[in-house]
Amino acid sequence: MGAELRASEGIQRSPRVTFYFAGRPVQGHEGESVAAALYAAGIRHLRDAPRDGAPRGMFCAMGICQECLVEIDGHRLEACRANVTAGLDVKQVTSESSDGL
Ligand code: FES
């Protein structure tokens, strides 16, 4: 992704760390939401809809809609309610992994 999407002027951020999404390294700031860090990295497709497999991603950004559901270190969580930490392993919830949703 080209331009930095985070506001920068006058903002002090926590250290930049690397975590992983679908096995790919992503940079984020420690403590920001996983959804925000992925969005800033240009990643919008967080899961597949269970019925038709359509791509889904962050919508409400406050833990209500469940559109940002991902798997983090083996647990299904809303990406907008999980904080970035170094080495976090985030996976897409795909049609194949959505059994029972
Ligand atoms: S974007 Fe709605 S729950 Fe995360």
Side-chain angles (χ1 to χ4, degrees):
M1 187 93 198
E4 172 65 64
L5 294 177
R6 293 178 183 89
S8 58
E9 193 170 319
I11 296 178
Q12 286 189 321
R13 297 199 182 277
S14 56
R16 198 178 276 265
V17 295
T18 300
F19 67 102
Y20 299 88
F21 180 73
R24 167 180 156 199
V26 179
Q27 295 281 302
H29 291 276
E30 206 167 61
E32 75 179 338
S33 78
V34 168
L38 292 172
Y39 191 89
I43 297 168
R44 309 289 191 266
H45 180 188
L46 304 184
R47 69 177 184 94
D48 294 339
R51 280 195 192 167
D52 61 2
R56 313 301 292 184
M58 183 170 65
F59 182 69
C60 74
M62 58 185 196
I64 303 295
C65 72
Q66 310 292 304
E67 293 291 353
C68 67
L69 193 69
V70 292
E71 187 176 305
I72 299 179
D73 291 337
H75 303 280
R76 290 200 175 169
L77 298 169
E78 300 91 355
C80 66
R81 293 175 34 120
N83 294 334
V84 168
T85 57
L88 203 64
D89 181 25
V90 182
K91 292 183 172 73
Q92 265 181 327
V93 176
T94 62
S95 301
E96 294 81 43
S97 65
S98 293
D99 294 343
L101 275 183

